[in-house]
Amino acid sequence: MTASVTPSIATFETRDAMGRAAAADVAAALRDHLGRQSNVRMIFAAAPSQAEMLDALARERDIDWRRVTAFHMDEYLGLPADAPERFGAWLTRHLFSHIAFGAVHLIGQEPDPERVAARYAALLGEAPIDIICLGIGVNGHLAFNDPPVADLHDTKSVKIVELDAVCRQQQVDDGCFPTLGDVPTHAITLTIPRLLDADRLFCVVPGASKRAAVERSLYGPIGTECPASALRTHPRCALYLDQDSTPPQFPLTPVRA
């Protein structure tokens, strides 16, 4: 069994301060990697919880984005190709349309989702992933690895999953869909081993609705009941919290300017 490690944890009084600090650290890691290698490969989460960080990241200077290849970590099945709720569309609005990446690989949609998953897994496997910007779900999910389908030892890199009720309700509560019936029941997701294979993880988790999941991630057993607990097996994971998501065990640190 992989030994547990304590993630680097920073807490902030506001979502804005949290987002700016996380973006600054992601940018610093990007500059470091670009100083040592010709290209960087990144994976992004698509969720309102990431908005402040992505907005600040898009304003960072002295990054040669033409040498960065971008992926995202999950996508709904069953939505029209032009649906604004699609995660690829969300990331395009919030990030990809603001930065001239060298390449952006979106999870496509066609009649055979297994073929889409296999093709995306092959793209991801062409070279190491350097940086992932991710969050934690209300049910402790990473990407769309909800507790019923999560596998910390998954042999696949990308797979088709059924979303659980808590995850689907979160999409409504986040304002992404008007009703639970509008939320797709299935999705394509990167698996937990695929996510943990990256060099650096930057996990941004604001909001009171996430506090219990953060607490389980940090203090509960490592396992699929809280998939995000697997972050404690990664040696270079940084966790960013705001006042609302910070468990009572952690006092607030000074807000970074």
Side-chain angles (χ1 to χ4, degrees), residues 50-174:
Q50 307 300 299
E52 290 84 4
M53 184 275 292
L54 293 178
D55 181 63
L57 183 62
R59 297 196 304 269
E60 284 285 338
R61 304 298 184 204
D62 302 319
I63 297 173
D64 187 356
W65 291 104
R66 296 168 299 176
R67 295 162 56 200
V68 180
T69 296
F71 300 85
H72 60 124
M73 60 182 58
D74 44 15
E75 186 58 272
Y76 295 111
L77 292 176
L79 290 177
D82 60 350
E85 298 89 354
R86 287 176 61 84
F87 284 159
W90 191 94
L91 278 170
T92 297
R93 291 194 302 273
H94 286 268
L95 184 66
F96 298 150
S97 63
H98 302 286
I99 292 173
F101 283 87
V104 173
H105 296 298
L106 300 181
I107 299 174
Q109 184 158 326
E110 60 178 64
D112 184 358
E114 293 289 354
R115 184 176 175 182
V116 175
R119 183 181 296 124
Y120 211 66
L123 281 171
L124 289 163
E126 288 179 353
I129 298 298
D130 300 294
I131 296 170
I132 298 184
C133 300
L134 72 163
I136 294 174
V138 170
N139 62 1
H141 71 219
L142 295 178
F144 269 144
N145 295 283
D146 294 330
V149 299
D151 183 351
L152 273 56
H153 306 285
D154 213 311
T155 57
K156 292 184 176 182
S157 292
V158 184
K159 68 180 182 180
I160 312 301
V161 294
E162 182 175 1
L163 307 181
D164 77 5
V166 177
C167 172
R168 293 177 67 230
Q169 183 61 48
Q170 179 185 327
Q171 312 312 312
V172 178
D173 296 340
D174 284 348

Side-chain angles (χ1 to χ4, degrees), residues 11-33:
T11 64
F12 303 88
E13 291 185 354
T14 68
R15 285 178 70 128
D16 243 16
M18 175 207 66
R20 291 195 307 271
D25 290 349
V26 172
L30 259 170
R31 296 186 191 100
D32 176 61
H33 278 82

